[in-house]
Amino acid sequence: MMGRKSKQLCMIMIDIEELIPKDHLLRKIKYTIDFDFIYEETRTYYSSIGLPSTDPVCLMKMLLVGICTE
């Protein structure tokens, strides 16, 4: 019998919460710091026209994690 590769999609369910340990630095940052103030602080640097930019909160979190893990 000739084998053929199935064209059916295979889905795997992954719970991201289970991948990150309970005492990980990212969890501590998430529950300790409220980053909502960044939107107000950076409002003047973003245009009201054009394509949407990268979320400034996401950028700040990446910078913070980069500094903390050096």
Side-chain angles (χ1 to χ4, degrees), residues 3-52:
R4 289 184 183 241
K5 186 173 180 178
S6 173
K7 295 181 181 178
Q8 184 175 356
L9 293 176
C10 178
M11 294 182 66
I12 300 173
M13 301 301 285
I14 298 175
D15 184 12
I16 294 176
E17 292 293 321
E18 292 179 5
L19 297 177
I20 302 173
K22 299 292 182 199
D23 61 341
H24 195 275
L25 173 64
L26 294 176
R27 287 191 187 273
K28 292 176 184 176
I29 290 172
K30 178 181 179 180
Y31 296 120
T32 306
I33 303 172
D34 180 19
F35 289 95
D36 286 341
F37 71 93
I38 293 174
Y39 294 115
E40 186 62 35
E41 294 291 327
T42 59
R43 182 184 312 260
T44 59
Y45 300 106
Y46 290 91
S47 175
S48 60
I49 58 172
L51 296 173

